[in-house]
Amino acid sequence: MAKVQAPSGFNVGDAELERRILAGLDSVEAALADAVKSENPLVSEVSHHLLDAGGKRFRPMVVLLSAQYGDPTSPGIVPSAVVVELTHLATLYHDDVMDEAPRRRGTESVNARWGNTIAILAGDFLFARASEILASLGSEAVQLQAQTFERLCVGQIRETQGPLEGEGATDHHLSVLADKTGSLISTAAKFGTSLSGADEATVDALTAFGERIGVAFQLADDLVDITSESSESGKTPGTDLREGVATLPALIVLGGDNPRDERLRELLSRPLTDDDEHAEALKLLRDHEAVDLARAEAHRRADEARECLAGLPDVAATAALRQLCDYAVARTF
């Protein structure tokens, strides 16, 4: 198994802390590989598919950094990091079915290769393995994961449903991101602090930090889908536009009334399966001030996350978490 590296662009900043985090990520990676094994060859192959495609392992890293405020060698730390990553992977399998996505992390998606039924069941298999690991972490961990899973499901339903009457589209979108992305990263921080024995104030601070950095991270990912020329997000740039998924920049345009944006609003109001229309919309959106406004919102959320760290001790882990705020949004440029 290859040694794990910290995500490109993220600097832990302290040699000893970096050694501990990378060693922890190696342990997580080995445990993930073991968790997705099955006696059935197809189940193993499908479950390994996205794991082998890589990923930032952002959520396990949040667990490991958060654990530095207690005993980072506590036996529940690595298993809880595995739980959050398995949960994340499972949601990707299901998301790709809902979005009919052909690719994920630079490779063919499971639903494209094996069909929707296998993809859904593979996601369920990963949820089951996460639950099995959770059982060893105690009833509080099980309850936290159940509450998180509820938010993930409600967020997906709300995204599918759309804003309620009187609810603004951008407010609805940001709230959905808090459920779909922020909740699991918040749980990662809470697992790390609580299972390491950190004090209650630290648990609360990093739980709040996780939700805010999670929203910033997702806003940045959505911007990369628009602004990147290469497939930095593991998807073809403009995938959201092609699928008719309105992320924050598109919602800002759709909520405006400037006559010069009439053509762009018309394009953004529907999926763009035609290559020429897709290219036109992508160019118009890249040149629009909505991208800068969405970028500013991502930075605002990252600043809110940084503020949650204000009361923490001035140690290497705190400096690394501040750097994580910069890393989360640096990809928007």
Side-chain angles (χ1 to χ4, degrees):
M1 183 184 66
K3 295 286 285 184
V4 175
Q5 296 181 333
S8 176
F10 174 61
N11 179 18
V12 175
D14 179 88
E16 176 56 26
L17 176 60
E18 182 176 27
R19 184 195 65 77
R20 292 199 300 269
I21 297 302
L22 293 179
L25 287 173
D26 279 333
S27 297
V28 170
E29 204 68 19
L32 281 168
D34 187 60
V36 299
K37 289 179 181 176
S38 170
E39 294 180 359
N40 183 287
L42 178 60
V43 173
S44 284
E45 183 180 7
V46 173
S47 300
H48 265 280
H49 187 71
L50 278 187
L51 182 64
D52 293 344
K56 303 178 186 71
R57 303 294 186 257
F58 187 85
R59 293 153 188 82
M61 190 166 60
V62 170
V63 175
L64 297 172
L65 285 170
S66 300
Q68 304 304 311
Y69 295 91
D71 178 4
T73 66
S74 296
I77 300 303
V78 168
S80 67
V82 173
V83 165
V84 294
E85 188 66 10
L86 286 175
T87 302
H88 172 57
L89 287 170
T91 63
L92 297 184
Y93 281 62
H94 288 177
D95 283 351
D96 285 347
V97 170
M98 296 187 67
D99 297 339
E100 299 180 353
R103 298 187 68 77
R104 167 72 68 173
R105 292 181 173 174
T107 192
E108 189 178 21
S109 65
V110 170
N111 50 294
R113 183 169 177 180
W114 286 283
N116 287 343
T117 299
I118 294 296
I120 292 169
L121 292 173
D124 291 346
F125 173 78
L126 296 180
F127 281 130
R129 284 296 168 90
S131 298
E132 186 177 358
I133 296 168
L134 265 172
S136 68
L137 300 180
S139 60
E140 289 187 8
V142 172
Q143 182 180 34
L144 175 59
Q145 176 73 355
Q147 291 168 344
T148 306
F149 191 46
E150 177 184 343
R151 286 191 66 187
L152 292 169
C153 293
V154 169
Q156 185 62 67
I157 291 170
R158 291 180 62 227
E159 181 178 59
T160 303
Q161 179 187 32
L164 298 175
E165 185 176 353
E167 183 181 21
T170 56
D171 289 342
H172 170 265
H173 177 69
L174 292 168
S175 177
V176 165
L177 293 189
D179 282 342
K180 288 189 60 180
T181 303
S183 65
L184 188 56
I185 296 177
S186 176
T187 293
K190 190 165 186 176
F191 274 150
T193 48
S194 60
L195 292 173
S196 69
D199 62 77
E200 186 176 351
T202 301
V203 173
D204 291 344
L206 284 178
T207 299
F209 167 86
E211 178 131 350
R212 287 157 180 77
I213 199 65
V215 174
F217 186 83
Q218 188 60 56
L219 287 169
D221 253 15
D222 292 342
L223 279 164
V224 167
D225 184 63
I226 294 168
T227 61
S228 64
E229 293 294 343
S230 61
S231 188
E232 296 175 42
S233 62
K235 303 185 296 182
T236 303
T239 296
D240 291 329
L241 293 180
R242 191 173 294 279
E243 295 170 357
V245 176
T247 55
L248 185 57
L251 289 170
I252 291 171
V253 174
L254 289 168
D257 57 6
N258 193 317
R260 67 177 173 82
D261 296 331
E262 183 176 351
R263 173 58 176 167
L264 181 55
R265 282 195 295 271
E266 192 277 323
L267 289 168
L268 295 177
S269 67
R270 53 185 169 83
L272 296 170
T273 55
D274 179 83
D275 288 343
D276 290 338
E277 287 191 334
H278 177 266
E280 180 187 2
L282 191 57
K283 183 181 185 309
L284 289 171
L285 189 55
R286 283 172 172 171
D287 293 339
H288 199 281
E289 65 179 359
V291 169
D292 289 332
L293 292 172
R295 183 178 288 123
E297 180 64 22
H299 281 265
R300 188 177 74 81
R301 298 286 173 148
D303 288 342
E304 286 182 353
R306 190 179 286 105
E307 289 170 6
C308 294
L309 306 175
L312 297 181
D314 187 17
V315 295
T318 304
L321 289 169
R322 292 194 188 101
Q323 166 63 17
L324 200 63
C325 296
D326 296 330
Y327 163 76
V329 294
R331 298 162 301 126
T332 66
F333 292 95

